[in-house]
Amino acid sequence: MNTRKIRDLVKKHLSDKPRNTTEINEWISKQIDINTEFDLTAILESDPSIVRIGRVRRSGVVGKMSPLSEWATDEWVHHHEREQPEIKERGI
């Protein structure tokens, strides 16, 4: 399977909301017939428009080999960013 095609499918899937690695992997397997093993995390990390926004920490779910991360598109992140409050300087 072409990694570019996987990235394009994932971007489409992430366009409305972030999803974790397992959700993405299950969705991809329903979209296309994949007979080969692939490292989804490496594919997602190699695309600058897909952003890891966190890791899901649940007992027994997060492994060393395959971390369960939350992913989003850079457009989704930009749209949902919180504005940083202005810091007032204090005169001493």
Coordinates of all heavy atoms in Angstrom, one line a residue:
M1 N 0.8 -1.2 0.0 CA 0.0 0.0 0.0 C 0.9 1.2 0.0 O 1.9 1.3 0.7 CB -0.9 -0.1 1.2 CG -1.6 1.2 1.6 SD -3.0 1.9 0.7 CE -3.6 0.9 -0.5
N2 N 0.5 2.2 -0.8 CA 1.2 3.4 -0.9 C 1.0 4.3 0.3 O -0.1 4.5 0.7 CB 0.7 4.1 -2.2 CG 1.4 5.4 -2.5 OD1 1.9 6.1 -1.6 ND2 1.4 5.7 -3.8
T3 N 2.1 4.7 1.0 CA 1.9 5.5 2.2 C 1.2 6.9 1.9 O 0.5 7.4 2.8 CB 3.3 5.8 2.9 OG1 4.2 6.5 2.0 CG2 3.9 4.5 3.3
R4 N 1.4 7.4 0.7 CA 0.7 8.7 0.4 C -0.8 8.5 0.4 O -1.5 9.3 0.8 CB 1.2 9.2 -1.0 CG 0.7 10.6 -1.3 CD 1.3 11.1 -2.6 NE 1.1 10.2 -3.7 CZ 0.1 10.4 -4.6 NH1 -0.7 11.5 -4.5 NH2 0.0 9.6 -5.6
K5 N -1.2 7.3 -0.2 CA -2.7 7.1 -0.2 C -3.2 6.9 1.3 O -4.3 7.4 1.6 CB -3.0 5.8 -1.0 CG -4.4 5.5 -1.1 CD -4.7 4.4 -2.1 CE -6.2 4.2 -2.1 NZ -6.7 3.6 -3.3
I6 N -2.4 6.3 2.1 CA -2.8 6.1 3.5 C -2.9 7.5 4.2 O -3.9 7.8 4.9 CB -1.9 5.2 4.3 CG1 -2.0 3.8 3.8 CG2 -2.1 5.3 5.8 CD1 -1.0 2.8 4.4
R7 N -1.9 8.3 4.0 CA -2.0 9.7 4.5 C -3.2 10.5 4.0 O -3.8 11.2 4.8 CB -0.7 10.5 4.2 CG 0.4 10.2 5.1 CD 1.6 11.2 4.9 NE 2.8 10.4 4.8 CZ 3.6 10.3 3.8 NH1 3.3 10.9 2.7 NH2 4.7 9.5 3.9
D8 N -3.5 10.4 2.8 CA -4.6 11.1 2.2 C -5.9 10.6 2.8 O -6.8 11.4 3.1 CB -4.7 11.0 0.7 CG -3.6 11.7 0.0 OD1 -3.0 12.6 0.6 OD2 -3.3 11.4 -1.2
L9 N -6.1 9.3 3.0 CA -7.3 8.7 3.6 C -7.4 9.2 5.1 O -8.5 9.6 5.5 CB -7.2 7.2 3.6 CG -7.6 6.5 2.3 CD1 -7.2 5.0 2.4 CD2 -9.0 6.7 2.0
V10 N -6.2 9.2 5.8 CA -6.3 9.7 7.2 C -6.6 11.1 7.3 O -7.4 11.5 8.2 CB -4.9 9.4 7.9 CG1 -4.8 10.0 9.2 CG2 -4.7 7.9 8.0
K11 N -6.1 12.0 6.5 CA -6.4 13.4 6.5 C -7.9 13.6 6.3 O -8.6 14.4 7.0 CB -5.7 14.2 5.4 CG -4.2 14.4 5.8 CD -3.6 15.3 4.8 CE -2.4 14.6 4.2 NZ -1.7 15.4 3.3
K12 N -8.5 12.8 5.4 CA -10.0 12.9 5.1 C -10.7 12.5 6.4 O -11.7 13.1 6.8 CB -10.3 12.0 4.0 CG -11.8 12.0 3.7 CD -12.1 11.0 2.5 CE -13.6 10.9 2.3 NZ -13.9 9.9 1.2
H13 N -10.3 11.4 7.1 CA -10.9 10.9 8.3 C -10.8 11.9 9.5 O -11.7 12.0 10.3 CB -10.3 9.5 8.6 CG -11.0 8.8 9.7 ND1 -12.4 8.6 9.7 CD2 -10.6 8.2 10.8 CE1 -12.7 7.9 10.8 NE2 -11.6 7.7 11.5
L14 N -9.7 12.6 9.5 CA -9.4 13.5 10.6 C -10.0 14.9 10.4 O -9.9 15.8 11.2 CB -7.9 13.7 10.8 CG -7.2 12.4 11.3 CD1 -5.7 12.7 11.4 CD2 -7.7 12.0 12.7
S15 N -10.6 15.2 9.2 CA -11.0 16.5 8.9 C -12.1 17.1 9.8 O -12.1 18.3 10.1 CB -11.5 16.6 7.5 OG -12.6 15.8 7.3
D16 N -12.9 16.2 10.4 CA -14.0 16.7 11.3 C -13.6 16.7 12.7 O -14.2 17.5 13.5 CB -15.3 16.0 11.0 CG -15.2 14.5 11.3 OD1 -14.1 13.9 11.2 OD2 -16.3 13.8 11.6
K17 N -12.8 15.7 13.2 CA -12.4 15.7 14.6 C -11.1 14.8 14.8 O -10.9 14.0 13.9 CB -13.5 15.2 15.5 CG -13.8 13.7 15.3 CD -14.9 13.3 16.3 CE -15.1 11.8 16.2 NZ -16.0 11.4 17.2
P18 N -10.4 15.0 15.8 CA -9.2 14.2 16.1 C -9.7 12.7 16.4 O -10.8 12.5 16.8 CB -8.6 14.8 17.4 CG -9.2 16.1 17.5 CD -10.5 16.1 16.8
R19 N -8.7 11.8 16.2 CA -9.0 10.4 16.5 C -7.7 9.7 16.9 O -6.6 10.2 16.6 CB -9.5 9.7 15.2 CG -10.8 10.3 14.7 CD -11.3 9.6 13.5 NE -12.3 10.4 12.8 CZ -13.6 10.4 13.1 NH1 -14.0 9.7 14.1 NH2 -14.4 11.2 12.4
N20 N -7.9 8.6 17.7 CA -6.7 8.0 18.1 C -6.2 6.9 17.1 O -6.9 6.6 16.2 CB -6.9 7.4 19.6 CG -7.8 6.2 19.6 OD1 -7.7 5.3 18.8 ND2 -8.7 6.2 20.5
T21 N -5.0 6.5 17.4 CA -4.3 5.5 16.5 C -5.1 4.3 16.2 O -5.2 3.9 15.0 CB -2.9 5.1 17.1 OG1 -2.2 6.3 17.5 CG2 -2.1 4.4 16.0
T22 N -5.8 3.7 17.2 CA -6.6 2.5 17.0 C -7.8 2.8 16.1 O -8.1 2.1 15.2 CB -7.0 2.0 18.3 OG1 -5.9 1.7 19.1 CG2 -7.9 0.7 18.1
E23 N -8.5 3.9 16.3 CA -9.6 4.3 15.5 C -9.2 4.5 14.1 O -9.9 4.1 13.2 CB -10.2 5.6 16.0 CG -10.9 5.5 17.4 CD -11.3 6.9 17.9 OE1 -10.6 7.9 17.7 OE2 -12.4 6.9 18.6
I24 N -8.1 5.2 13.9 CA -7.6 5.4 12.5 C -7.3 4.1 11.8 O -7.7 3.8 10.7 CB -6.4 6.3 12.5 CG1 -6.7 7.7 13.0 CG2 -5.7 6.4 11.1 CD1 -5.6 8.6 13.3
N25 N -6.6 3.2 12.5 CA -6.2 1.9 12.0 C -7.4 1.1 11.6 O -7.5 0.5 10.5 CB -5.3 1.2 13.0 CG -4.4 0.2 12.3 OD1 -4.4 0.1 11.1 ND2 -3.6 -0.5 13.1
E26 N -8.4 1.0 12.4 CA -9.6 0.3 12.1 C -10.4 0.9 11.0 O -10.9 0.2 10.1 CB -10.5 0.3 13.4 CG -10.0 -0.6 14.5 CD -10.9 -0.6 15.7 OE1 -12.0 0.1 15.7 OE2 -10.5 -1.2 16.7
W27 N -10.4 2.2 10.9 CA -11.1 2.9 9.8 C -10.4 2.6 8.5 O -11.1 2.3 7.5 CB -11.2 4.4 10.0 CG -12.0 5.1 9.0 CD1 -13.3 5.2 8.9 CD2 -11.4 5.8 7.9 NE1 -13.7 6.0 7.8 CE2 -12.5 6.4 7.2 CE3 -10.1 6.1 7.5 CZ2 -12.3 7.1 6.0 CZ3 -10.0 6.8 6.3 CH2 -11.1 7.4 5.6
I28 N -9.1 2.6 8.5 CA -8.3 2.3 7.2 C -8.6 0.9 6.8 O -8.8 0.7 5.6 CB -6.8 2.6 7.4 CG1 -6.5 4.1 7.5 CG2 -6.0 2.0 6.3 CD1 -5.1 4.4 7.9
S29 N -8.6 0.0 7.7 CA -8.8 -1.4 7.3 C -10.2 -1.7 6.7 O -10.4 -2.6 5.9 CB -8.6 -2.4 8.5 OG -9.6 -2.2 9.5
K30 N -11.2 -0.8 7.1 CA -12.5 -0.9 6.5 C -12.6 -0.3 5.1 O -13.4 -0.6 4.3 CB -13.5 -0.3 7.4 CG -13.8 -1.1 8.6 CD -14.7 -0.4 9.6 CE -14.9 -1.1 10.9 NZ -15.7 -0.4 11.8
Q31 N -11.7 0.7 4.9 CA -11.7 1.4 3.6 C -11.0 0.7 2.5 O -11.4 0.7 1.3 CB -11.1 2.8 3.8 CG -11.7 3.7 4.8 CD -13.2 3.9 4.5 OE1 -13.6 4.3 3.4 NE2 -14.0 3.7 5.5
I32 N -9.9 0.1 2.8 CA -9.1 -0.6 1.8 C -8.6 -2.0 2.3 O -8.5 -2.2 3.5 CB -7.8 0.3 1.4 CG1 -7.1 0.7 2.7 CG2 -8.2 1.4 0.6 CD1 -5.8 1.5 2.4
D33 N -8.4 -2.8 1.4 CA -7.9 -4.2 1.8 C -6.4 -4.1 1.9 O -5.7 -4.0 0.9 CB -8.3 -5.2 0.7 CG -7.9 -6.6 1.1 OD1 -7.8 -6.9 2.3 OD2 -7.7 -7.4 0.2
I34 N -5.9 -4.2 3.1 CA -4.4 -4.1 3.3 C -3.9 -5.5 3.8 O -4.3 -6.0 4.8 CB -4.0 -3.1 4.4 CG1 -4.5 -1.7 3.9 CG2 -2.6 -3.1 4.6 CD1 -4.3 -0.6 4.9
N35 N -3.0 -6.1 2.9 CA -2.5 -7.4 3.3 C -1.1 -7.3 3.9 O -0.6 -8.3 4.5 CB -2.4 -8.2 2.0 CG -3.7 -8.5 1.4 OD1 -4.7 -8.6 2.1 ND2 -3.8 -8.7 0.1
T36 N -0.5 -6.1 3.9 CA 0.8 -6.0 4.5 C 0.8 -5.2 5.8 O -0.1 -4.4 6.0 CB 1.7 -5.3 3.5 OG1 1.2 -4.0 3.2 CG2 1.9 -6.0 2.2
E37 N 1.8 -5.4 6.6 CA 1.9 -4.7 7.8 C 2.5 -3.3 7.5 O 3.3 -3.1 6.6 CB 2.9 -5.4 8.8 CG 2.4 -6.7 9.3 CD 1.3 -6.5 10.4 OE1 1.4 -5.5 11.1 OE2 0.4 -7.3 10.4
F38 N 2.1 -2.3 8.2 CA 2.6 -0.9 8.0 C 2.6 -0.2 9.4 O 1.8 -0.6 10.3 CB 1.9 -0.1 7.0 CG 0.4 0.1 7.3 CD1 0.1 1.3 8.0 CD2 -0.5 -0.8 7.0 CE1 -1.3 1.5 8.3 CE2 -1.9 -0.6 7.3 CZ -2.2 0.6 7.9
D39 N 3.6 0.7 9.6 CA 3.7 1.4 10.8 C 2.9 2.7 10.7 O 3.4 3.7 10.1 CB 5.2 1.7 11.1 CG 5.4 2.4 12.4 OD1 4.4 2.7 13.1 OD2 6.6 2.5 12.8
L40 N 1.7 2.7 11.2 CA 0.8 3.8 11.0 C 1.4 5.1 11.7 O 1.3 6.2 11.2 CB -0.6 3.5 11.6 CG -1.6 4.6 11.5 CD1 -1.8 5.1 10.1 CD2 -2.9 4.2 12.2
T41 N 2.0 4.9 12.9 CA 2.6 6.0 13.6 C 3.7 6.7 12.8 O 3.7 7.9 12.7 CB 3.1 5.6 15.0 OG1 2.1 5.0 15.7 CG2 3.7 6.8 15.7
A42 N 4.5 5.9 12.2 CA 5.6 6.5 11.3 C 5.0 7.2 10.1 O 5.5 8.3 9.7 CB 6.6 5.4 10.9
I43 N 4.0 6.7 9.5 CA 3.3 7.3 8.4 C 2.8 8.7 8.8 O 2.9 9.7 8.1 CB 2.3 6.4 7.8 CG1 2.9 5.2 7.1 CG2 1.4 7.1 6.7 CD1 2.0 4.1 6.7
L44 N 2.1 8.7 9.9 CA 1.4 9.9 10.4 C 2.5 11.0 10.8 O 2.3 12.1 10.5 CB 0.5 9.6 11.6 CG -0.7 8.7 11.3 CD1 -1.5 8.4 12.5 CD2 -1.5 9.3 10.2
E45 N 3.6 10.5 11.5 CA 4.6 11.4 11.9 C 5.4 12.0 10.7 O 5.9 13.1 10.8 CB 5.6 10.7 12.8 CG 5.1 10.4 14.2 CD 6.0 9.7 15.0 OE1 6.9 9.0 14.5 OE2 5.9 9.7 16.3
S46 N 5.4 11.4 9.6 CA 6.1 11.8 8.4 C 5.4 12.9 7.6 O 5.9 13.5 6.7 CB 6.5 10.7 7.5 OG 5.3 10.1 6.9
D47 N 4.1 13.1 8.0 CA 3.3 14.1 7.3 C 3.2 15.4 8.1 O 2.6 15.4 9.2 CB 1.9 13.6 7.0 CG 1.1 14.5 6.0 OD1 1.2 15.7 6.2 OD2 0.4 13.9 5.2
P48 N 3.7 16.5 7.6 CA 3.7 17.8 8.4 C 2.2 18.3 8.6 O 2.0 19.1 9.5 CB 4.5 18.7 7.6 CG 4.6 18.2 6.3 CD 4.4 16.7 6.4
S49 N 1.3 17.9 7.9 CA -0.1 18.4 8.0 C -0.9 17.5 9.0 O -2.1 17.8 9.3 CB -0.8 18.5 6.7 OG -1.0 17.2 6.1
I50 N -0.3 16.5 9.6 CA -1.0 15.7 10.6 C -0.2 15.8 11.9 O 1.0 15.7 11.9 CB -1.0 14.2 10.2 CG1 -1.8 14.0 8.9 CG2 -1.6 13.3 11.3 CD1 -1.8 12.6 8.3
V51 N -0.9 16.2 12.9 CA -0.3 16.5 14.2 C -0.7 15.6 15.3 O -1.9 15.3 15.5 CB -0.7 18.0 14.6 CG1 -0.1 18.4 15.9 CG2 -0.4 19.0 13.5
R52 N 0.3 15.2 16.1 CA 0.0 14.4 17.3 C -0.4 15.4 18.4 O 0.4 16.3 18.7 CB 1.2 13.6 17.8 CG 0.9 12.7 19.0 CD 2.2 12.1 19.6 NE 3.1 11.6 18.7 CZ 3.4 10.3 18.5 NH1 2.8 9.4 19.3 NH2 4.3 9.9 17.6
I53 N -1.6 15.3 18.9 CA -2.1 16.3 19.9 C -2.1 15.7 21.3 O -2.4 16.4 22.2 CB -3.4 16.9 19.5 CG1 -4.5 15.8 19.4 CG2 -3.3 17.7 18.2 CD1 -5.9 16.3 19.2
G54 N -1.7 14.5 21.4 CA -1.6 13.9 22.8 C -1.6 12.4 22.7 O -1.7 11.8 21.7
R55 N -1.4 11.8 23.9 CA -1.4 10.4 24.0 C -2.5 10.0 25.0 O -2.8 10.6 26.0 CB -0.1 9.9 24.6 CG 1.0 10.0 23.6 CD 2.3 9.5 24.1 NE 3.4 9.7 23.2 CZ 4.2 8.8 22.8 NH1 4.3 7.7 23.4 NH2 5.2 9.2 21.9
V56 N -3.2 8.9 24.6 CA -4.2 8.3 25.5 C -3.5 7.4 26.5 O -2.8 6.5 26.1 CB -5.2 7.5 24.7 CG1 -6.3 6.9 25.6 CG2 -5.9 8.4 23.6
R57 N -3.8 7.7 27.8 CA -3.2 6.9 28.9 C -4.2 6.1 29.6 O -4.9 6.6 30.4 CB -2.5 7.8 29.9 CG -1.5 8.7 29.3 CD -0.1 8.1 29.4 NE 0.9 9.0 28.9 CZ 2.0 8.7 28.3 NH1 2.3 7.4 28.2 NH2 2.9 9.6 27.9
R58 N -4.3 4.8 29.2 CA -5.2 3.9 29.9 C -4.4 2.7 30.2 O -3.7 2.2 29.4 CB -6.4 3.6 29.0 CG -7.3 4.7 28.7 CD -8.6 4.2 28.0 NE -9.2 5.3 27.3 CZ -9.9 5.2 26.3 NH1 -10.1 4.1 25.7 NH2 -10.4 6.3 25.7
S59 N -4.7 2.1 31.3 CA -4.0 0.9 31.8 C -4.1 -0.2 30.7 O -5.3 -0.5 30.4 CB -4.5 0.5 33.1 OG -3.8 -0.7 33.5
G60 N -3.0 -0.8 30.3 CA -3.1 -1.9 29.4 C -3.3 -1.5 27.9 O -3.2 -2.4 27.1
V61 N -3.5 -0.3 27.6 CA -3.8 0.1 26.2 C -2.5 0.7 25.6 O -2.2 0.4 24.4 CB -4.9 1.2 26.2 CG1 -5.1 1.7 24.7 CG2 -6.2 0.6 26.7
V62 N -1.8 1.5 26.3 CA -0.6 2.1 25.7 C 0.6 1.1 25.8 O 0.9 0.7 26.9 CB -0.3 3.4 26.4 CG1 1.0 4.1 25.8 CG2 -1.4 4.4 26.3
G63 N 1.2 0.8 24.7 CA 2.3 -0.1 24.7 C 3.5 0.7 24.2 O 3.5 1.7 23.6
K64 N 4.7 0.1 24.5 CA 5.9 0.7 24.1 C 6.1 0.7 22.6 O 6.7 1.6 22.0 CB 7.1 0.0 24.8 CG 7.2 0.2 26.2 CD 8.4 -0.5 26.9 CE 8.3 -0.3 28.4 NZ 9.4 -1.0 29.0
M65 N 5.7 -0.4 21.9 CA 5.9 -0.5 20.5 C 4.8 0.3 19.7 O 5.1 0.8 18.6 CB 5.8 -2.0 20.1 CG 6.9 -2.8 20.7 SD 8.5 -2.3 20.2 CE 8.5 -2.7 18.5
S66 N 3.6 0.4 20.2 CA 2.6 1.1 19.5 C 1.8 2.1 20.4 O 0.8 1.7 20.9 CB 1.6 0.1 18.9 OG 0.6 0.7 18.2
P67 N 2.4 3.3 20.6 CA 1.7 4.2 21.4 C 0.3 4.6 20.9 O 0.1 4.7 19.7 CB 2.6 5.4 21.5 CG 3.4 5.3 20.2 CD 3.5 3.9 19.9
L68 N -0.6 4.7 21.8 CA -2.0 5.1 21.4 C -2.0 6.7 21.5 O -2.2 7.2 22.6 CB -3.0 4.5 22.3 CG -4.5 4.7 21.9 CD1 -4.8 4.2 20.5 CD2 -5.4 4.0 22.9
S69 N -1.9 7.3 20.3 CA -1.9 8.7 20.3 C -3.1 9.3 19.7 O -3.9 8.6 19.0 CB -0.7 9.2 19.4 OG 0.5 8.7 20.0
E70 N -3.4 10.6 20.0 CA -4.5 11.3 19.4 C -3.9 12.1 18.3 O -2.9 12.8 18.5 CB -5.1 12.2 20.5 CG -6.5 12.7 20.2 CD -7.6 11.6 20.4 OE1 -7.4 10.6 21.1 OE2 -8.7 11.9 19.9
W71 N -4.6 12.1 17.1 CA -4.1 12.8 15.9 C -5.1 13.7 15.4 O -6.3 13.5 15.5 CB -3.7 11.8 14.9 CG -2.7 10.8 15.3 CD1 -2.9 9.6 15.9 CD2 -1.3 10.9 15.1 NE1 -1.7 8.9 16.1 CE2 -0.7 9.7 15.7 CE3 -0.5 11.9 14.6 CZ2 0.6 9.5 15.7 CZ3 0.9 11.7 14.6 CH2 1.5 10.5 15.2
A72 N -4.7 14.8 14.8 CA -5.6 15.8 14.1 C -4.8 16.4 13.0 O -3.6 16.3 12.8 CB -6.0 16.9 15.1
T73 N -5.6 17.1 12.1 CA -4.9 17.8 11.0 C -4.5 19.1 11.5 O -5.0 19.7 12.5 CB -5.9 18.0 9.8 OG1 -7.0 18.8 10.3 CG2 -6.4 16.7 9.2
D74 N -3.5 19.7 10.9 CA -3.0 21.0 11.3 C -4.1 22.1 11.2 O -4.2 23.0 12.0 CB -1.7 21.5 10.6 CG -1.9 21.5 9.1 OD1 -2.9 21.0 8.6 OD2 -1.0 22.1 8.5
E75 N -5.0 21.9 10.2 CA -6.1 22.9 10.0 C -7.0 22.8 11.2 O -7.5 23.8 11.7 CB -6.8 22.6 8.7 CG -6.0 23.0 7.5 CD -6.1 21.9 6.4 OE1 -6.8 20.9 6.7 OE2 -5.5 22.1 5.4
W76 N -7.3 21.6 11.7 CA -8.2 21.4 12.8 C -7.6 22.0 14.1 O -8.3 22.8 14.8 CB -8.5 19.9 13.1 CG -9.6 19.7 14.1 CD1 -10.9 19.5 13.9 CD2 -9.3 19.6 15.5 NE1 -11.5 19.4 15.2 CE2 -10.6 19.4 16.2 CE3 -8.2 19.8 16.4 CZ2 -10.7 19.3 17.5 CZ3 -8.4 19.6 17.7 CH2 -9.6 19.4 18.3
V77 N -6.3 21.8 14.3 CA -5.6 22.4 15.4 C -5.7 23.9 15.4 O -6.0 24.6 16.4 CB -4.2 21.9 15.5 CG1 -3.4 22.6 16.6 CG2 -4.2 20.4 15.8
H78 N -5.4 24.5 14.2 CA -5.3 25.9 14.1 C -6.7 26.5 14.3 O -6.9 27.5 15.0 CB -4.9 26.3 12.7 CG -4.8 27.8 12.4 ND1 -3.9 28.6 13.1 CD2 -5.6 28.6 11.7 CE1 -4.1 29.8 12.7 NE2 -5.1 29.9 11.8
H79 N -7.8 25.8 13.8 CA -9.1 26.3 14.0 C -9.6 26.3 15.5 O -10.4 27.1 15.9 CB -10.1 25.5 13.2 CG -11.5 25.9 13.3 ND1 -12.0 27.1 12.7 CD2 -12.6 25.4 13.9 CE1 -13.3 27.2 13.0 NE2 -13.7 26.2 13.7
H80 N -9.1 25.3 16.2 CA -9.6 25.1 17.6 C -8.6 25.6 18.7 O -8.8 25.4 19.9 CB -9.8 23.6 17.8 CG -11.1 23.1 17.1 ND1 -11.0 22.7 15.8 CD2 -12.4 23.1 17.5 CE1 -12.2 22.4 15.4 NE2 -13.1 22.6 16.4
E81 N -7.5 26.3 18.2 CA -6.6 26.8 19.2 C -7.2 27.8 20.1 O -8.0 28.6 19.7 CB -5.4 27.5 18.5 CG -4.3 26.5 18.0 CD -3.2 27.2 17.4 OE1 -3.4 28.2 16.7 OE2 -2.1 26.8 17.5
R82 N -6.8 27.8 21.3 CA -7.3 28.8 22.3 C -6.4 30.0 22.2 O -5.2 29.9 22.0 CB -7.2 28.3 23.7 CG -8.2 27.2 24.0 CD -8.1 26.8 25.4 NE -8.8 25.6 25.7 CZ -8.8 24.9 26.7 NH1 -7.9 25.3 27.7 NH2 -9.5 23.8 26.9
E83 N -7.0 31.2 22.3 CA -6.2 32.4 22.2 C -5.5 32.5 23.6 O -6.1 32.3 24.6 CB -7.1 33.6 22.0 CG -7.6 33.7 20.6 CD -8.2 35.1 20.2 OE1 -7.8 36.1 20.9 OE2 -9.0 35.1 19.3
Q84 N -4.3 32.9 23.5 CA -3.5 33.1 24.7 C -3.8 34.4 25.4 O -3.8 35.4 24.7 CB -2.0 33.0 24.4 CG -1.5 31.6 23.8 CD -1.8 30.5 24.8 OE1 -1.5 30.6 26.0 NE2 -2.3 29.4 24.3
P85 N -4.0 34.4 26.7 CA -4.3 35.7 27.3 C -3.1 36.6 27.3 O -1.9 36.1 27.4 CB -4.7 35.3 28.8 CG -4.0 33.9 28.9 CD -4.0 33.3 27.6
E86 N -3.3 37.9 27.3 CA -2.2 38.8 27.4 C -1.7 38.9 28.8 O -2.4 38.9 29.7 CB -2.7 40.2 27.0 CG -2.9 40.4 25.5 CD -3.2 41.8 25.1 OE1 -2.6 42.7 25.7 OE2 -4.1 42.0 24.2
I87 N -0.4 38.9 28.8 CA 0.3 39.0 30.1 C 0.6 40.4 30.4 O 1.3 41.1 29.6 CB 1.5 38.1 30.2 CG1 1.2 36.7 30.0 CG2 2.3 38.3 31.5 CD1 2.3 35.7 29.8
K88 N 0.1 41.0 31.5 CA 0.3 42.4 31.8 C 1.6 42.5 32.6 O 1.9 41.7 33.5 CB -0.8 43.0 32.7 CG -2.1 43.0 31.9 CD -3.2 43.6 32.8 CE -4.5 43.6 32.1 NZ -5.6 44.1 32.9
E89 N 2.4 43.4 32.2 CA 3.7 43.6 32.9 C 3.4 44.4 34.1 O 2.7 45.4 34.1 CB 4.7 44.3 32.0 CG 5.2 43.5 30.8 CD 6.2 44.2 30.0 OE1 7.0 45.0 30.6 OE2 6.3 44.1 28.8
R90 N 4.1 44.0 35.2 CA 3.9 44.7 36.5 C 5.1 45.6 36.6 O 6.2 45.2 36.5 CB 3.9 43.7 37.6 CG 2.6 42.9 37.7 CD 2.5 42.3 39.0 NE 2.6 40.8 38.9 CZ 2.5 40.0 39.9 NH1 2.5 40.5 41.1 NH2 2.5 38.7 39.7
G91 N 4.8 46.8 37.0 CA 5.9 47.8 37.3 C 6.4 47.6 38.7 O 5.6 47.5 39.6
I92 N 7.6 47.5 38.8 CA 8.2 47.3 40.2 C 8.8 48.5 40.7 O 9.5 49.3 40.0 CB 9.2 46.1 40.2 CG1 8.5 44.8 39.8 CG2 9.9 46.0 41.5 CD1 9.4 43.6 39.7

